[in-house]
């Protein structure tokens, strides 16, 4: 080891989903929205004066914060925004998780949590999900330095009832509890109403999924004004100009078009429920997802083999070679046409597999 190398902060980085670029691909691997953003987003970007790009953006993100506050019925002082919910969550880790006690998050969850904890030298423990991939609320009734988990959880799609979240809050009045609601708009219940009752609660959401703006990187958090003020103090000490002008314009236009937002969420929910029915007919097993993806396993067909067969046909889903979930696929909900093509492939593939195994011959699926 070189002398200077001992002073390098080394971590195992988060691994994002594959970003293929084939013209004929069906991309169901990164939980993106298959539909375009609200029409007003394009209009806002077309009307943006390019000459304004020579100026720094508003460090307070005032216009976007006002729009979010109005739509969600909260005060501006209760809203924090950042460059995607990843940026917001990273700021939360830096701001609120500074105890010598371990923070708590599930063993199967968003895999950025342990990366941030390792990077920032935050001790952590990961209580195991139960056999149905549900969070066991009692595991969070012990001494800790903070709590974070997604609801619905990722990659499982399982929702924790608000009553159980409130039990966790009641048992943990002296630490910050963060509910990561990246997927809440697809049929789950938000913990947002609880911020008026619990001053240690932060609720984090994103424009990347339900609002079709993953490419713009916009995230936001709700909490009591004191928590938001602490977050802004850290933000201004780290980077005062996190939100650029194009993102602010696009985000403001998007959040104000609630009719389009509700329409697209309904379309994805309907397609998800149709896909669940088709997967059940094929023998797949999964918990009841309340997100824009399904986390599914088949008792007779290894997930890795299905993943590779799909990939050969430029149909991309997510496979995690990790303990407890290495026989599951996370399948993002695309358009109805995309999901019909995906299901048709599985029907054909499984038909080939049955013929192959029934005759004890090795046949390559084509």
């Amino acid at each position: 080891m070189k002398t200077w190398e001992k002073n390098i902060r080394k971590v195992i980085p988060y691994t994002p989903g594959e970003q293929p670029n084939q013209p004929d691909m069906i991309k169901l691997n990164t939980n993106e929205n298959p539909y375009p953003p609200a029409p007003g987003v394009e209009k806002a970007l077309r009307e943006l004066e390019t000459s304004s790009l020579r100026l720094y953006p508003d460090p307070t993100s005032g216009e976007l914060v006002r729009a979010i506050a109005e739509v969600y019925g909260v005060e501006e002082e209760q809203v924090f925004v950042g460059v995607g919910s990843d940026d917001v969550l990273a700021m939360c880790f830096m701001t609120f998780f500074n105890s010598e006690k371990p923070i708590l998050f599930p063993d199967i969850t968003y895999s950025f949590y342990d990366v941030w904890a390792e990077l920032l030298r935050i001790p952590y423990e990961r209580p195991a999900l139960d056999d149905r991939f549900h969070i066991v609320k009692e595991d969070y009734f012990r001494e800790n330095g903070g709590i974070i988990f997604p609801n619905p959880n990722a990659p499982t799609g399982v929702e924790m009832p608000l009553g159980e979240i409130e039990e966790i809050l009641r048992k943990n009045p002296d630490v910050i509890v963060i509910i990561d609601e990246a997927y809440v708009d697809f049929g789950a219940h938000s913990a947002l109403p609880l911020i008026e009752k619990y001053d240690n609660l932060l609720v984090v959401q994103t424009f990347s999924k339900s609002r079709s703006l993953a490419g713009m990187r916009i995230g936001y958090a709700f909490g009591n004004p004191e928590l938001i003020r602490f977050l802004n103090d850290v933000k201004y000490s780290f980077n005062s100009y996190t939100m650029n002008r194009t993102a602010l314009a696009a985000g403001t236009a998007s959040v104000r078009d609630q009719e389009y937002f509700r329409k697209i969420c309904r379309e994805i929910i309907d397609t998800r429920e149709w896909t669940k029915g088709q997967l059940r007919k094929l023998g797949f097993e999964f918990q009841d997802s309340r997100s824009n993806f399904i986390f599914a396993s088949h008792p007779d067909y290894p997930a890795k083999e299905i993943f590779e067969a799909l990939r050969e046909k430029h149909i991309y889903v997510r496979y995690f070679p990790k303990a407890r979930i290495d026989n599951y696929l996370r399948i993002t909900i695309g358009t109805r046409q995309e999901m019909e093509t995906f299901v048709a492939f599985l029907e054909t593939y499984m038909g080939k597999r049955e013929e192959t195994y029934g005759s004890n011959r090795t046949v390559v699926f084509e």
Side-chain angles (χ1 to χ4, degrees), residues 323-360:
R324 296 188 68 192
I325 61 172
D326 60 358
N327 198 37
Y328 284 82
L329 298 174
R330 193 193 69 190
I331 305 155
T332 301
I333 302 302
T335 64
R336 177 63 177 265
Q337 182 178 1
E338 288 175 330
M339 302 317 292
E340 288 175 353
T341 301
F342 166 73
V343 169
F345 173 87
L346 291 177
E347 291 171 341
T348 303
Y349 173 75
M350 290 179 173
K352 285 284 188 180
R353 283 287 302 271
E354 288 170 4
E355 293 171 12
T356 299
Y357 286 178
S359 60
N360 292 318

Side-chain angles (χ1 to χ4, degrees), residues 110-151:
Y110 186 30
S111 55
F112 227 140
Y113 296 161
D114 55 342
V115 173
W116 285 317
E118 293 284 352
L119 177 66
L120 298 170
R121 305 296 192 261
I122 299 168
Y124 64 94
E125 294 177 4
R126 300 184 293 185
L129 301 181
D130 68 16
D131 292 340
R132 298 183 303 128
F133 293 148
H134 287 235
I135 293 173
V136 181
K137 66 180 186 298
E138 290 81 7
D139 289 340
Y140 297 82
F141 293 174
R142 64 178 189 252
E143 196 171 21
N144 64 79
I147 294 170
I148 181 170
F149 57 85
N151 196 45

Side-chain angles (χ1 to χ4, degrees), residues 71-252:
V71 167
Y72 286 91
V74 299
E75 300 298 322
E76 293 178 36
E77 293 77 17
Q78 293 175 292
V79 179
F80 175 84
V81 297
V83 187
S85 60
D86 286 342
D87 178 53
V88 173
L89 291 166
M91 293 289 177
C92 289
F93 271 65
M94 285 190 281
T95 306
F96 302 117
F97 294 160
N98 292 291
S99 169
E100 294 180 356
K101 301 171 186 176
I103 64 171
L104 305 177
F105 51 84
D107 66 330
I108 300 172
T109 194
Y110 186 30
S111 55
F112 227 140
Y113 296 161
D114 55 342
V115 173
W116 285 317
E118 293 284 352
L119 177 66
L120 298 170
R121 305 296 192 261
I122 299 168
Y124 64 94
E125 294 177 4
R126 300 184 293 185
L129 301 181
D130 68 16
D131 292 340
R132 298 183 303 128
F133 293 148
H134 287 235
I135 293 173
V136 181
K137 66 180 186 298
E138 290 81 7
D139 289 340
Y140 297 82
F141 293 174
R142 64 178 189 252
E143 196 171 21
N144 64 79
I147 294 170
I148 181 170
F149 57 85
N151 196 45
N153 195 11
T156 65
V158 175
E159 178 186 14
M160 172 179 270
L162 283 184
E164 294 187 12
I165 291 176
E166 192 161 8
E167 283 188 69
I168 290 174
L169 285 161
R170 283 198 300 266
K171 295 284 187 177
N172 292 277
D174 299 323
V175 300
I176 303 302
V177 177
I178 300 171
I179 310 300
D180 180 356
E181 294 187 342
Y183 305 102
V184 76
D185 294 323
F186 301 105
H189 296 84
S190 176
L192 177 57
L194 298 178
I195 66 169
E196 301 297 341
K197 188 174 180 180
Y198 298 94
D199 62 4
N200 61 326
L201 170 64
L202 271 172
V203 176
V204 178
Q205 297 187 9
T206 179
F207 281 62
S208 296
K209 317 300 182 185
S210 55
R211 296 188 184 275
S212 307
L213 285 174
M216 273 295 176
R217 314 308 301 128
I218 306 171
Y220 51 110
F222 300 106
N224 83 68
E226 188 174 20
L227 294 186
I228 300 304
R229 187 164 59 251
F230 288 141
L231 273 173
N232 276 315
D233 287 346
V234 170
K235 168 188 169 181
Y236 295 142
S237 302
F238 185 77
N239 180 0
S240 297
Y241 300 104
T242 57
M243 301 292 295
N244 66 53
R245 286 177 174 268
T246 53
L248 291 172
T252 301

